[in-house]
Amino acid sequence: MKVAYLGPQGSFSEEAAFRYFEDHENEWYKCDSIVDVLEAVEEGIADKGIVPIENSIEGTINITADGLLRHDLFVEAEIIFPVSLHLLALKGALLEEIREVWSIVPALAQCRDFIREAKVKSKHYDSTSAAAQAVNNQERKDVAAIASKYAAEVFDLEIIKSGIQDNSNNHTRFVVISKENAEIHPKNSKTMLLISPTSDYSGVLSSILNVFTALSINLTWIESRPTKKQLGTYHFFVEAQNGLHEEKMNKAITILEAFGHDVRVLGSYRTTKL
Amino acid sequence: MKVAYLGPQGSFSEEAAFRYFEDHENEWYKCDSIVDVLEAVEEGIADKGIVPIENSIEGTINITADGLLRHDLFVEAEIIFPVSLHLLALKGALLEEIREVWSIVPALAQCRDFIREAKVKSKHYDSTSAAAQAVNNQERKDVAAIASKYAAEVFDLEIIKSGIQDNSNNHTRFVVISKENAEIHPKNSKTMLLISPTSDYSGVLSSILNVFTALSINLTWIESRPTKKQLGTYHFFVEAQNGLHEEKMNKAITILEAFGHDVRVLGSYRTTKL
């Protein structure tokens, strides 16, 4: 099986992919962007893809949500991955001499307090691991990457300060995507739907959510993404704590469609905590 | 009056600020980040601030939403600003020779289709205008900035392709923020609330939205932001199409508080279309 993920070597996505698929004999397909992962799976270059969809600090990863909107793909598993961000520098570098930190935008955002207090400049890279690699590729001891322990090992850097994110309870939710809809299984505990309302009449979200409430379906995630057609019009992602084998989940879909909303079932799946 | 906005010179925020406050004699206070704008207002360095809160393509600007969560500030006006993104290069540059585009992450995201089709690399800058300035400061004719017409004028660049965003209906919503709560005025047509649920019981968002539906209050914006304490727990921003002078708006607040939710009134205000 060929698995696509967001590289480069040492990324959180790589670590999540390697740990989640550890029992399988896999070929790996490293991509430069989340969009490339989705396209690799859609075009059949890879069998599965693994992409981040939500982080407990930053919220929904919009590129992934918009990608699911645009591509014809299914979600077949959810992975909860604990994230710890560290300051990585060349061996011998000193914390108090760091003047610049390099990382991807969400990781910099997750370390806002540290960056402001340390009064360091920040520079954007495409991934935490690209930043770690860049630190490794130069000789300045006043720069550091914000990345994982795994990236420190891969790029032979020293952790000069650990756990620098604003909040210690930091998790990233990944989804495993596939071109085929996974089988409906009684162990599947969640279902993700993409609901495009029939019109943007007043109270449409409230009317949609009431369907789930009426059927005692607990929602674990609700996200609105702009239709990109007009300001104030949205598609809604909804994740329910019930599998598609449950009658009430199917009732909810039937009712929502009867209201005239377009409902796309993105998948029914299990959660794995790494 | 001193107005803080996200610079540098030539930014969309600058254009929005100059056009919105054109009738006043103002002092301007350029900031390096959205967080700096919010802090300048909170600390009294500036009287007002202007920050982007939502874009019709990218959705909510999370840094602004999280900033309103963290700072004790009020919203006193909303500004709808039409955004058109162009490709700006040195005079004499040719479109087919462009190999790299520079801009801020959301603008690059808004031009995803163009970037993929043109097979150009992208490089992140802190703002569209910083990218335009960087293009102006060097001599390569194979790089271009993605920025506004206004930035092209400010930095003496040529528009080599106009309107390159994925969707032509692109607007950014700005809010004017202040340390003081603006007066309740019958002309105010919107109210923004920040609701922190008493607990994360099943269906809490649906129960909150039902209060507005029951009172025939139309919501124009709903955004959940992570509490940053635990994955799956959120604060809700809600914008209603009714001013605080309206009895039903006050009823809604009373009812939500009676449910035990924490309700912060961020402001009641008018909308200006630029």
Side-chain angles (χ1 to χ4, degrees), chain A residues 55 57-59 85 101 104-122 146 164-167 170, chain B residues 33-36 38-39 61-71 225-226 228:
Chain A
N55 174 274
I57 307 278
E58 271 307 288
L85 292 170
V101 292
I104 193 171
V105 172
L108 292 167
Q110 284 164 35
C111 300
R112 262 176 229 160
D113 291 343
F114 169 80
I115 290 169
R116 295 180 67 80
E117 276 157 31
K119 293 193 170 60
V120 292
K121 281 194 194 178
S122 59
I146 294 179
I164 60 165
Q165 68 269 26
D166 298 351
N167 192 297
N170 190 355
Chain B
S33 70
I34 289 174
V35 173
D36 287 347
L38 300 175
E39 288 195 347
I61 313 293
N62 293 337
I63 295 174
T64 301
D66 287 350
L68 290 175
L69 263 165
R70 279 153 62 122
H71 293 92
R225 288 300 301 153
K228 305 183 196 307

Side-chain angles (χ1 to χ4, degrees), chain A:
Chain A
M1 199 173 60
K2 203 166 175 179
V3 180
Y5 64 88
L6 177 63
Q9 201 189 3
S11 69
F12 283 119
S13 294
E14 181 177 270
E15 194 180 346
F18 285 8
R19 287 175 60 189
Y20 179 76
F21 287 106
E22 61 183 348
D23 299 334
H24 306 273
E25 280 193 16
N26 293 301
E27 252 189 282
W28 304 102
Y29 186 75
K30 269 202 288 278
C31 296
D32 289 336
S33 70
I34 289 174
V35 173
D36 287 348
V37 175
L38 301 174
E39 288 194 347
V41 178
E42 191 169 48
E43 288 164 10
I45 298 167
D47 304 292
K48 311 277 178 199
I50 181 165
V51 283
I53 193 162
E54 191 187 14
N55 174 274
S56 54
I57 307 278
E58 271 307 288
T60 295
I61 314 292
N62 293 337
I63 294 173
T64 301
D66 286 349
L68 290 174
L69 262 166
R70 279 153 62 122
H71 293 92
D72 195 19
L73 295 166
F74 296 96
V75 174
E76 65 165 41
E78 176 195 40
I79 303 162
I80 308 284
F81 182 83
V83 174
S84 197
L85 292 170
H86 311 294
L87 204 60
L88 320 184
L90 292 180
K91 291 192 170 149
L94 297 168
L95 176 60
E96 52 277 19
E97 284 170 8
I98 299 300
R99 294 285 164 269
E100 220 175 288
V101 292
W102 299 352
S103 201
I104 193 171
V105 172
L108 292 167
Q110 284 164 35
C111 300
R112 262 176 229 160
D113 291 343
F114 169 80
I115 290 169
R116 295 180 67 80
E117 276 157 31
K119 293 193 170 60
V120 292
K121 281 194 194 178
S122 59
K123 190 173 161 187
H124 304 160
Y125 276 80
D126 284 340
S127 63
T128 52
S129 45
Q133 190 166 27
V135 169
N136 173 283
N137 280 346
Q138 50 88 61
E139 287 171 10
R140 284 170 61 188
K141 288 195 169 171
D142 64 341
V143 300
I146 294 179
S148 67
K149 194 178 161 195
Y150 182 70
E153 288 160 17
V154 169
F155 297 108
D156 199 29
L157 296 173
E158 199 172 332
I159 295 182
I160 56 168
K161 190 168 166 69
S162 63
I164 60 165
Q165 68 269 26
D166 298 351
N167 192 297
S168 59
N169 199 330
N170 190 355
H171 289 84
T172 294
R173 221 155 66 87
F174 287 90
V175 286
V176 177
I177 54 152
S178 163
K179 218 179 150 178
E180 317 294 332
N181 200 351
E183 56 179 333
I184 293 170
H185 194 281
K187 278 196 179 157
N188 290 351
S189 55
K190 281 184 164 181
T191 302
M192 195 185 292
L193 304 177
L194 174 57
I195 304 166
S196 305
T198 171
S199 69
D200 294 284
Y201 60 84
S202 159
V204 71
L205 179 57
S206 143
S207 104
I208 288 169
L209 297 183
N210 282 342
V211 173
F212 297 101
T213 308
L215 293 163
S216 302
I217 294 172
N218 187 18
L219 300 182
T220 49
W221 183 59
I222 301 157
E223 182 63 45
S224 55
R225 289 298 301 152
T227 61
K228 305 184 196 307
K229 285 178 189 143
Q230 204 193 322
L231 194 67
T233 61
Y234 306 93
H235 300 284
F236 299 106
F237 284 90
V238 150
E239 190 188 53
Q241 221 164 30
N242 295 88
L244 260 190
H245 60 283
E246 294 181 63
E247 200 194 346
K248 61 182 179 181
M249 204 59 228
N250 291 283
K251 274 189 186 166
I253 295 166
T254 307
I255 294 166
L256 289 168
E257 286 176 339
F259 271 118
H261 308 308
D262 184 60
V263 182
R264 218 175 104 200
V265 180
L266 287 170
S268 179
Y269 45 86
R270 270 167 261 188
T271 301
T272 302
K273 287 189 182 169
L274 290 183

